[in-house]
């Protein structure tokens, strides 16, 4: 699947997520192209502003079927084959991992993406914090990345939800 098709899928996802004209994004804060260690692109991420909130819209294709952990990572580097250069999860508030963790979650925690039998899937989620807080965290001195993991996130186990190795990564860029 080409980037053009993936971008089209992203556009359709964005429109479907808007239930009224008031939900239409007013600005794009950032973008990322997610790639495998081989350099093959498998998806896009868009960071969109609606009022003072930021949402992430991810469209993926070309991966195997199943549920995968999806996280924001603290360093804007995606060096393969293991993408450990992206650092730990993005966690400016120093929280523990997981939306089901009684101690709270961190900014890098995102919902799992469920990929269908064709290896395609989408996720739309609102990020914690105001636009200014999210922008500061995403674009600090070393940037940030978005990472797809091999397994589903259990939403509670610190530090990564038992989501396994990193299989795809994208550096978050300003538009």
């Amino acid at each position: 699947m080409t980037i053009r098709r993936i971008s089209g899928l992203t556009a359709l996802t964005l429109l479907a997520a808007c239930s009224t004209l008031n939900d239409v994004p007013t600005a794009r804060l950032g973008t990322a192209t997610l790639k495998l260690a081989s350099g093959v692109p498998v998806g896009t991420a868009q960071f969109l502003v609606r009022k003072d909130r930021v949402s992430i819209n991810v469209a993926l294709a070309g991966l195997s079927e199943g549920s995968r952990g999806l996280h924001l990572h603290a360093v804007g580097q995606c060096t393969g084959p293991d993408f450990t250069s992206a650092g730990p999860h993005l966690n400016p508030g120093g929280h523990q991992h997981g939306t089901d963790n009684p101690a709270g979650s961190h900014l890098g925690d995102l919902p799992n993406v469920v990929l269908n039998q064709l290896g395609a899937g989408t996720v739309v989620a609102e990020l914690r914090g105001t636009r200014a807080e999210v922008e500061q965290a995403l674009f600090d001195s070393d940037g940030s990345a978005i990472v797809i993991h091999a397994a589903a996130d259990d939403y509670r186990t610190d530090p990564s939800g038992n989501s396994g190795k990193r299989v795809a990564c994208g550096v978050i860029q300003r538009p």
Side-chain angles (χ1 to χ4, degrees):
M1 183 169 275
T2 65
I3 291 294
R4 179 175 287 178
R5 284 189 180 166
I6 292 172
S7 296
L9 182 59
T10 300
L12 290 174
T13 302
L14 299 178
L15 290 175
C18 300
S19 59
T20 71
L21 286 178
N22 290 332
D23 291 338
V24 174
T26 57
R28 182 178 301 157
L29 189 62
T31 63
T33 299
L34 290 106
K35 297 179 183 180
L36 301 173
S38 65
V40 172
V42 292
T44 61
Q46 304 287 324
F47 295 82
L48 303 172
V49 178
R50 289 179 184 89
K51 299 183 183 178
D52 195 35
R53 306 300 295 177
V54 178
S55 66
I56 182 171
N57 298 264
V58 180
L60 301 170
L63 297 166
S64 59
E65 181 178 9
S67 187
R68 307 276 181 272
L70 182 67
H71 303 111
L72 300 177
H73 283 252
V75 180
Q77 292 183 20
C78 289
T79 305
D82 60 6
F83 304 119
T84 57
S85 60
H89 291 179
L90 186 60
N91 189 9
H95 298 284
Q96 290 187 1
H97 174 79
T99 53
D100 290 346
N101 187 323
S105 62
H106 50 70
L107 182 59
D109 289 336
L110 298 173
N112 287 324
V113 60
V114 178
L115 303 168
N116 65 21
Q117 66 277 10
L118 299 174
T122 61
V123 169
V124 177
E126 188 171 298
L127 300 179
R128 295 176 59 145
T130 65
R131 175 188 177 158
E133 292 166 340
V134 170
E135 189 168 17
Q136 181 179 12
L138 291 177
F139 301 111
D140 64 2
S141 63
D142 61 359
S144 58
I146 181 168
V147 173
I148 302 167
H149 292 263
D153 185 330
D154 67 14
Y155 297 129
R156 66 182 170 276
T157 305
D158 204 37
S160 65
N162 286 327
S163 54
K165 70 179 190 169
R166 302 168 187 198
V167 298
C169 184
V171 175
I172 301 167
Q173 305 284 329
R174 291 188 185 270

